[in-house]
Amino acid sequence: MAGILFIISAPSGSGKSTLVSELRKQVTGVDFSISWTTRQPRGSEQNGREYYFTDREEFERMIAAGEFLEHAEVFGNYYGTSRRSLDEARRLGHDLILDIDVQGALQVRKTMAEAVSIFVMPPNPKVLRTRLRNRSRAEGQVNEAELYRRLSEASKEIENYGEYSYILVNDILDRAVAQLEAIVLAERFYRNGEPIAFRSGRVLEVAAACRQSNSQERLKPVLEAFGILNPSGQQQLNFDDDPDDEQDSPE
Ligand code: ADP
Ligand code: 5GP
């Protein structure tokens, strides 16, 4: 049975690593592609677990040797997916998840049109800021400049949502995890005829509701909050001054 390639993109801090790790607790046969990066490890990150950490010289040597399926510069660092991850998942017949940015997703879609792409959105900019800040605090390193840089890129990344097959709004974590699981099971059912053991009708319904083509109403408030559906056509981020004012939904 052929494995399915899933691409998942989101503004930094939206919760995609959390969603992917929760998904992998529920669904077997889904591998995660460990990317290469030149950024420094954060908090408890370990080489070979979250990323393979390397330097620019080595990364550029790997680019020249054609070792990457895709690579991009994001927030001033290189990130890339090695071809080896894909080969290994194919050999095992496993599905593979790539957690990559919008530039990388574009490169992969060009060569692998069969990939299933999923875009994750935070519900609004204030929640995104709270999540980024909480994550930095938990990692013991709040870097205001880096935080601001990631926040200010968010709406540009969200503008690309129309290129993705499915959209998740990660508001309540359990619901977003169930939606991601439904997408994976529905794609296995449609592509490989793999039966869905439990509540199959419900799973297909949940996945269908997350299709980008069925998501316009659900997305409207999110796009407005990020200034993407502003009638004047101007980008207008709705942050306010107090960084501690927003309660995020509990995990
Ligand atoms: P990303 O991988 O998209 O950069 P993370 O998965 O690291 O984001 O999540 C950023 C922060 O937000 C983490 O501290 C995580 O625990 C938290 N988080 C993720 N999803 C939710 C959610 N639905 N509700 C509240 N907090 C969340
Ligand atoms: P972070 O530094 O927060 O781990 O990741 C920053 C951004 O880089 C995120 O949007 C993430 O999806 C993206 N990213 C992580 N790995 C890769 C990769 O291999 N290729 C590309 N193009 N982007 C990646």
Side-chain angles (χ1 to χ4, degrees):
M1 188 180 67
I4 303 171
L5 183 64
F6 292 94
I7 300 172
I8 181 159
S9 302
S12 177
S14 306
K16 72 186 155 352
S17 313
T18 309
L19 290 173
V20 169
S21 99
E22 291 301 314
L23 171 81
R24 296 187 66 218
K25 290 180 197 160
Q26 317 280 344
V27 180
T28 55
V30 190
D31 291 350
F32 175 70
S33 163
I34 301 172
S35 295
W36 289 77
T37 184
T38 59
R39 88 149 159 72
Q40 291 298 306
R42 269 192 322 238
S44 62
E45 286 180 337
Q46 281 176 22
N47 189 35
R49 192 177 65 184
E50 286 81 6
Y51 283 105
Y52 295 112
F53 295 98
T54 188
D55 56 25
R56 291 186 80 88
E57 198 183 340
E58 172 66 3
F59 200 103
E60 283 168 1
R61 187 203 60 73
M62 291 175 73
I63 298 174
E67 291 183 30
F68 289 116
L69 175 68
E70 63 73 37
H71 67 276
E73 192 146 357
V74 190
F75 309 126
N77 285 299
Y78 281 131
Y79 292 81
T81 306
S82 74
R83 294 186 188 279
R84 205 178 294 168
S85 297
L86 186 67
D87 295 344
E88 182 62 6
R90 278 191 173 148
R91 195 180 61 76
L92 297 169
H94 286 178
D95 296 341
L96 183 68
I97 297 194
L98 309 183
D99 166 348
I100 58 178
D101 85 317
V102 293
Q103 308 169 73
L106 185 67
Q107 294 172 42
V108 175
R109 272 197 305 263
K110 272 190 190 150
T111 52
M112 308 183 75
E114 73 283 6
V116 177
S117 57
I118 304 166
F119 195 86
V120 178
M121 295 193 192
N124 59 57
K126 286 201 286 186
V127 164
L128 179 61
R129 181 181 59 188
T130 306
R131 287 186 190 163
L132 278 168
R133 195 177 289 277
N134 289 348
R135 182 175 72 186
S136 303
R137 280 187 187 138
E139 289 164 347
Q141 47 191 63
V142 182
N143 177 335
E144 288 298 329
E146 182 62 23
L147 205 137
Y148 182 77
R149 185 175 193 181
R150 285 172 182 249
L151 275 174
S152 46
E153 286 297 312
S155 41
K156 277 188 239 154
E157 291 171 43
I158 291 175
E159 279 174 11
N160 294 282
Y161 80 92
E163 308 294 327
Y164 289 73
S165 329
Y166 291 97
I167 315 286
L168 294 183
V169 178
N170 180 21
D171 190 349
I172 297 161
L173 185 63
D174 289 350
R175 185 170 61 193
V177 172
Q179 290 170 335
L180 182 56
E181 186 180 342
I183 293 168
V184 170
L185 297 181
E187 288 292 335
R188 284 181 175 178
F189 173 76
Y190 289 126
R191 290 172 182 233
N192 299 333
E194 194 175 306
I196 303 170
F198 181 60
R199 292 188 302 160
S200 55
R202 179 85 188 115
V203 165
L204 298 179
E205 202 180 290
V206 170
C210 295
R211 283 199 169 276
Q212 191 242 115
S213 50
N214 296 333
S215 298
Q216 288 312 314
E217 275 310 302
R218 194 165 52 98
L219 295 189
K220 205 163 167 256
V222 182
L223 299 177
E224 279 171 356
F226 278 94
I228 294 167
L229 273 191
N230 184 332
S232 70
Q234 289 170 354
Q235 291 279 315
Q236 192 182 5
L237 282 180
N238 299 326
F239 302 122
D240 50 29
D241 298 332
D242 179 359
D244 293 314
D245 61 350
E246 185 70 10
Q247 292 295 312
D248 198 359
S249 51
E251 284 177 62

